[in-house]
Amino acid sequence: MCVRFFSRAVLLAALLFSLPSLAASRCDVNVPTEHVDLDQVSLAYQSIGRASDPALLLVMGLGGQLIHWPDEVVVALCQQGFRVIRYDNRDVGLSTWRQTPANANLTFEVLRYKLGLPVAAPYTLTDMSEDALGLMDALHIEQFHVLGASMGGMIAQHMAAMAPQRIESLTLIMTSSGAEGLPAPSAALVQLLSRRGAPNREVALEQQADLLAALSSPSVSDDRQVLLQQAAASYDRAFNPEGVKRQIMAILAEPSRVALLNQLRVPTLVVHGTADPLLPVMHGVHLAAHIRGSQLKLIPGMAHRFQEAFKAPLLAAVLPYLQSHREDTSHWAQIEPVATPNLL
C-alpha cells in the first residue's frame, strides 16, 4: 500500500511540475504553416493551441502576414485557453497571389477615389471575408471569436454581418467604419503606404522601415536596425507589392459600413490608439458608436503598429474581454453608452 501511495505521489508531482512545459508546448508558435484550398484561393495558416479549445481567428491588416501578429501576443492569447488561428490573407505571404487584371491601375483608382467616383477593384473586402469563413469551414470550426486589426478589422466587420450566428465575440483594433468625413491620414503617410516598387531587397527594406517608423507612436522611438530586421523577415518570407496594391484597391472600393454596423448584434470590443496616424482616434470612437452595446478602449499614445511599448496595454484591454466571453457566449452584449475618456 505504501508503494502504491508513493507511486501515486511521484506521478502527481511529475504532472504538477510538467504543467508549465505542457502549457508552453501547447502554445508553441513554431508549429508548421499549413494550407487549405478554397474555391478561389489557397490560404496559409497556423493553428496554435488545443483543437478542443474555443477558436480565436486573427485577421491581419493591409499587406500584413501571419508573422506580423507578435508571437508573445499569440502566446498570451493561447494561454488564456484559446486555439489561436492566424493566416495570410489572399495576395500576401504564402497564400494565393492574384494576377493583376490588365485594366487595374492603383494610381488611376486613387484619383477616382479622391474625386468621389466609384473605384474598381480585382476583389472586395467581402471576398476576403468569405476567404476567412471558408478557412474556418475547412477546419470544421462552426463558432469562433474574431480579432481583426486595421484592414483585418474591416474584414471582421463583414464576417460578423455575414455569419453573426458563428461569431461569438468581435474585437476590432485600430480600424474604421469607413464613413465619409472621418479624419484622413497625412499625405506623406499615404505616399509611403503606396510606395511599393523597389529595384532590389535593400531598397525594399529601407522603404518598409520608413513606413514602420511613420506608423509608430511619436512618444516611442524604435531602433532603425530593429525596423530593418522586421522588414527583412517580411521580405524574405514573401514579397508581393502588387498584391498590396490590390488590397488597397479593395479598401478604396468599399463604401461606408455604417448601415452594416448599425445592424450588428455581436458582442464587440473596439480598441484604438490615441496617436494613430493612419486612422486617427475618431475612427475608433465612430466605429464603437455605431455598434450596439459595444465597448470602447482607448490606449494613450498607441499608434498603428504592435510596438513593444504597447503590447502590455493592448493585452490588458483585450484579454479580460475575451476571457469574459470565452465561457459564456449565450448572451448578447449589454447596451451601454460608449465612454470616451478625455484623451482627444
Side-chain angles (χ1 to χ4, degrees):
M1 184 170 181
C2 289
V3 173
R4 184 182 302 173
F5 175 80
F6 179 76
S7 299
R8 289 178 178 174
V10 170
L11 177 60
L12 179 59
L15 288 173
L16 288 174
F17 283 112
S18 67
L19 285 178
S21 60
L22 288 174
S25 62
R26 177 173 64 84
C27 298
D28 181 10
V29 294
N30 295 312
V31 296
T33 297
E34 302 182 70
H35 286 79
V36 296
D37 294 325
L38 308 179
D39 290 340
Q40 300 295 323
V41 295
S42 175
L43 296 181
Y45 75 94
Q46 286 182 326
S47 177
I48 298 107
R50 290 185 296 248
S52 59
D53 285 337
L56 171 62
L57 179 67
L58 305 183
V59 190
M60 181 43 73
L62 174 67
Q65 304 178 43
L66 65 83
I67 60 171
H68 292 130
W69 292 103
D71 287 347
E72 56 270 40
V73 171
V74 173
V75 169
L77 294 168
C78 175
Q79 289 177 342
Q80 289 289 304
F82 289 97
R83 175 189 181 185
V84 182
I85 298 164
R86 56 181 178 177
Y87 72 104
D88 292 330
N89 282 308
R90 63 166 70 187
D91 254 337
V92 298
L94 305 182
S95 291
T96 298
W97 295 2
R98 289 298 194 190
Q99 294 298 315
T100 305
N103 61 345
N105 185 301
L106 177 59
T107 303
F108 177 70
E109 298 302 336
V110 168
L111 178 61
R112 290 183 61 85
Y113 176 79
K114 290 181 177 179
L115 293 174
L117 299 173
V119 173
Y123 50 80
T124 66
L125 296 185
T126 303
D127 293 329
M128 300 178 79
S129 303
E130 290 175 347
D131 293 347
L133 291 171
L135 169 63
M136 302 310 274
D137 287 341
L139 297 179
H140 307 291
I141 300 173
E142 181 59 30
Q143 293 182 302
F144 50 95
H145 304 263
V146 180
L147 190 159
S150 195
M151 182 189 73
M154 302 172 192
I155 294 170
Q157 292 166 41
H158 280 292
M159 293 176 67
M162 294 163 64
Q165 73 284 0
R166 300 184 67 179
I167 310 302
E168 296 185 315
S169 77
L170 187 63
T171 302
L172 305 173
I173 300 175
M174 59 183 77
T175 189
S176 176
S177 63
E180 295 182 6
L182 290 171
S186 69
L189 182 54
V190 172
Q191 182 67 27
L192 286 173
L193 194 63
S194 60
R195 187 179 63 173
R196 294 290 170 176
N200 54 53
R201 182 179 184 272
E202 181 180 1
V203 173
L205 298 192
E206 292 290 346
Q207 289 182 355
Q208 182 64 11
D210 289 343
L211 177 59
L212 292 175
L215 293 172
S216 300
S217 172
S219 63
V220 177
S221 179
D222 286 324
D223 183 89
R224 181 73 177 185
Q225 288 306 310
V226 172
L227 297 181
L228 288 170
Q229 289 170 8
Q230 293 174 357
S234 301
Y235 184 97
D236 293 340
R237 184 173 185 265
F239 180 64
N240 183 26
E242 292 303 314
V244 179
K245 291 179 182 179
R246 289 190 286 271
Q247 289 188 351
I248 292 174
M249 284 189 274
I251 295 172
L252 296 180
E254 176 88 349
S256 168
R257 289 178 296 280
V258 167
L260 177 153
L261 296 171
N262 286 337
Q263 298 176 23
L264 287 188
R265 296 297 182 266
V266 175
T268 303
L269 171 67
V270 176
V271 181
H272 216 96
T274 63
D276 193 320
L278 183 64
L279 298 174
V281 67
M282 283 307 299
H283 285 258
V285 173
H286 185 269
L287 177 63
H290 284 278
I291 302 177
R292 181 181 177 183
S294 65
Q295 300 177 35
L296 173 65
K297 300 285 188 182
L298 300 182
I299 300 181
M302 189 175 82
H304 205 83
R305 280 185 55 222
F306 293 117
Q307 288 178 275
E308 189 66 35
F310 297 101
K311 288 175 185 175
L314 182 62
L315 287 171
V318 170
L319 292 182
Y321 173 78
L322 285 173
Q323 193 59 38
S324 71
H325 290 283
R326 180 179 178 274
E327 301 297 339
D328 181 12
T329 58
S330 62
H331 58 278
W332 298 119
Q334 297 299 310
I335 303 174
E336 57 185 30
V338 174
T340 54
N342 297 322
L343 297 172
L344 306 183

